[in-house]
Amino acid sequence: RYRTVGVSGCWATAVIHGGKAMSYLNLFDTEAAWRLVHALGASNGPRMDEPTAVVVKHGNPCGVAVRADVAEAWLAAHECDPVSAFGGIVAVNRTVTMAMAGPLADVFTEVVVAPGYEPDALVHLQGKANLRILEAQAPTWPELDLRGIDGGLLVQTTDRVVADTSQWEVVTKREPTGEEWSDLIFAWLVAARVSSNTIVLAKDRQAVGIGAGQQNRRDAGQVAADKAAGRADGGACASDAFFPFRDGLDVVAAAGATAVVQPGGSLRDHEVITAAD
C-alpha cells in the first residue's frame, strides 16, 4: 500500500483491534464497503444519515440496508444474500453494539469496520481469532481514479454520485409514490458502487437482490430477481445503464418491482417506457 504525497486517508489512522493481517483482497473489499456505507449518508445528495450496514464480497455489495439501529441494519443487510455474505466484509456507520456483535460473531466474516465499538462488543468480537476488527475514520474522496494497463495507467475523475431527484424525469404515466422514491434513491446509490452491468432491487431501503458484473442487463436482472426471491414486490429497481431492450425491464417487473430508475438514452427508450406503462 502506497500513500499519495501530502494526503492522509482513513487507512493512515485506522486501528486494528484484532485478527489476522490484512490481505490485498481484504483491503480492496474493505475500501469498497467503507465507501459505500458512507456514500449512503453523504452530504452531496439526499442524506440518509441513519444506521446503515453493508456487506461486500469480491468488490461488490451483496447486502445493504438502512434501519433504526445498527444491529437491525446488519441483520437486514445479511438477509439480502446470506450465502454470498459468508466470508464477506461488514461495514457499518455507527458504533458496533453488543446486540450486533452477538449474531455477527456467529457468521464467518473476514473484516468488520466501524467508527467505534462498545467495550463488551469489542471483547466479544476479539474472541474470533481470525476476524479482522477495524476502527476507522470516514474515507476521503480522491480526485482521480487510477487503473493499471500495460505500460501505464488509465486515469479518470472519481465517480461522485449525486442522487438529485430534481434532475430526474418521470417518463411514465404514473409518478412514483413516496415509498418508491425512497427506495429508488437508495437503489441508485447502491447500484453506483456495483460492477456493471448491474441491477439492484430494493424494498424498504433494503437491498433484496443484486445482480453484479453480468455481460448483459437481462441476466443482471435475472440474477437480482433470483436472489430477491419474491421480496422485491412493490419495491424499486436501479439499473446503472439504460435498458437496450425491454427484456431487462420485463425481468424486474416480473420480480415485483413497481418503480425503476435508469439513465435512459437507448434507441429503444420508447419501447422500454411503453413496457413500463
Side-chain angles (χ1 to χ4, degrees), residues 118-273:
E118 290 183 351
D120 57 344
L122 180 59
V123 170
H124 188 75
L125 292 174
Q126 286 173 329
K128 309 294 292 185
N130 293 329
L131 174 63
R132 301 156 180 90
I133 307 166
L134 271 65
E135 182 176 334
Q137 298 177 353
T140 59
W141 300 92
E143 181 181 352
L144 299 176
D145 181 46
L146 312 178
R147 178 173 292 185
I149 58 172
D150 187 21
L153 297 167
L154 287 176
V155 183
Q156 64 179 354
T157 53
T158 300
D159 188 20
R160 296 297 300 274
V161 181
V162 180
D164 182 1
T165 56
S166 69
Q167 299 182 30
W168 293 11
E169 181 184 3
V170 179
V171 295
T172 50
K173 296 175 182 177
R174 185 178 73 82
E175 292 268 349
T177 66
E179 291 77 10
E180 287 171 336
W181 273 119
S182 180
D183 283 338
L184 284 168
I185 294 168
F186 173 85
W188 185 247
L189 292 170
V190 173
R193 302 296 169 185
V194 185
S195 297
S196 188
N197 286 316
T198 183
I199 294 290
V200 174
L201 294 171
K203 173 67 174 174
D204 298 329
R205 292 192 298 172
Q206 176 189 21
V208 293
I210 299 174
Q214 301 303 306
Q215 286 77 11
N216 68 74
R217 204 147 297 279
R218 183 191 61 189
D219 287 355
Q222 192 60 61
V223 170
D226 290 344
K227 289 180 180 293
R231 294 176 296 168
D233 192 36
C237 165
S239 172
D240 69 333
F242 61 67
F243 288 101
F245 305 96
R246 66 168 289 172
D247 56 359
L249 183 80
D250 289 335
V251 168
V252 299
T258 55
V260 176
V261 56
Q262 51 105 12
S266 168
L267 292 174
R268 294 180 175 84
D269 270 353
H270 178 70
E271 176 186 332
V272 174
I273 294 166

Side-chain angles (χ1 to χ4, degrees), residues 1 8-17 22 27 30 34 113-114 133-138:
R1 180 171 64 87
S8 180
C10 64
W11 289 106
T13 56
V15 177
I16 300 178
H17 289 288
M22 296 279 285
L27 283 161
T30 302
W34 198 228
V113 56
I133 307 166
L134 271 65
E135 182 176 334
Q137 298 177 353

